[in-house]
Amino acid sequence: MKKAVRVSAVVVAASAIFAAQAAMAYQAGDFFLRGGYAKVSPTSDNGDVAGSELDVSDERGFTYGFGYLFTDNIGIELNSSEPFEHDLSTSALGPLGSIERTPINLLANYYPLGGTRASVQPYIGVGVNYTIYSDEELAGLDIDDSWGATGQLGVDLAVTDFLMLNVAANYADVEADASLNGSGIGTADVDPVTFGGGITLRF
């Protein structure tokens, strides 16, 4: 009798572990929220303004996003961040003050291990980026909002059924026209690489 009870207890425990692991996997119908902190590094070649090379500084800030899985492996994600305040300068004109840049990304994600019991869930996404520029410090300077392609690589590590640790890297093709007092003065090629980490809440 005692042996039977012990065997039953083992079976129940094993079933509970299996169920918990299975619940950790992404699956069709899941919603998620992400929040974290990231560093954004524009590429070294940031375009030309008024005939001289433009330099855009690295910055850090908070990021967030949410998404939905249509199938175990395919989902959609909308993410953004607080405005990144970049310092601008050129070799000829020197410092141009700062500008705030807010990226908005809409991506289709692929989860190769979605629907499995794996607690480590990598993903890759491609989509479109819309970037809003605001609060230009240099009087008369205006940088147009821009559209471009974007892509990301990331991984979620399940801690519980609902909480995951997240790391991700994103690249966006960001090129915008710049003008001073209404006259075109060149382009700003930011093309940022963003790397950060945080948490994902799945429900």
Side-chain angles (χ1 to χ4, degrees):
M1 182 66 179
K2 290 184 178 179
K3 182 177 181 181
V5 171
R6 285 197 297 268
V7 171
S8 298
V10 170
V11 171
V12 171
S15 298
I17 292 172
F18 179 86
Q21 289 178 336
M24 290 180 180
Y26 277 117
Q27 54 190 335
D30 281 354
F31 288 89
F32 63 82
L33 293 173
R34 289 198 176 112
Y37 193 76
K39 177 181 179 180
V40 56
S41 300
T43 56
S44 57
D45 183 6
N46 299 137
D48 295 315
V49 170
S52 61
E53 185 176 343
L54 176 67
D55 182 70
V56 182
S57 68
D58 295 354
E59 293 300 331
R60 294 174 174 81
F62 292 100
T63 60
Y64 55 88
F66 65 93
Y68 176 77
L69 270 73
F70 298 104
T71 72
D72 290 346
N73 304 106
I74 302 295
I76 192 169
E77 179 179 351
L78 180 66
N79 61 45
S80 185
S81 70
E82 65 174 325
F84 292 110
E85 186 175 356
H86 296 279
D87 293 326
L88 307 178
S89 63
T90 68
S91 54
L93 302 177
L96 300 178
S98 66
I99 188 171
E100 292 189 351
R101 183 184 64 85
T102 305
I104 303 172
N105 302 306
L106 180 63
L107 303 110
N109 288 336
Y110 173 64
Y111 300 84
L113 299 182
T116 72
R117 299 193 304 273
S119 59
V120 177
Q121 292 285 325
Y123 59 90
I124 182 171
V126 294
V128 62
N129 165 269
Y130 180 67
T131 299
I132 301 170
Y133 295 92
S134 60
D135 291 342
E136 295 92 334
E137 283 190 346
L138 180 64
L141 176 65
D142 181 68
I143 298 182
D144 295 341
D145 296 348
S146 67
W147 291 91
T150 186
Q152 69 176 1
L153 290 171
V155 62
D156 284 309
L157 173 63
V159 178
T160 72
D161 290 357
F162 308 104
L163 174 64
M164 299 181 175
L165 302 180
N166 173 262
V167 292
N170 174 281
Y171 171 80
D173 179 18
V174 179
E175 180 177 336
D177 295 327
S179 60
L180 187 63
N181 297 320
S183 299
I185 57 174
T187 59
D189 296 330
V190 182
D191 295 345
V193 175
T194 305
F195 182 81
I199 61 171
T200 299
L201 299 177
R202 185 178 71 91
F203 53 94

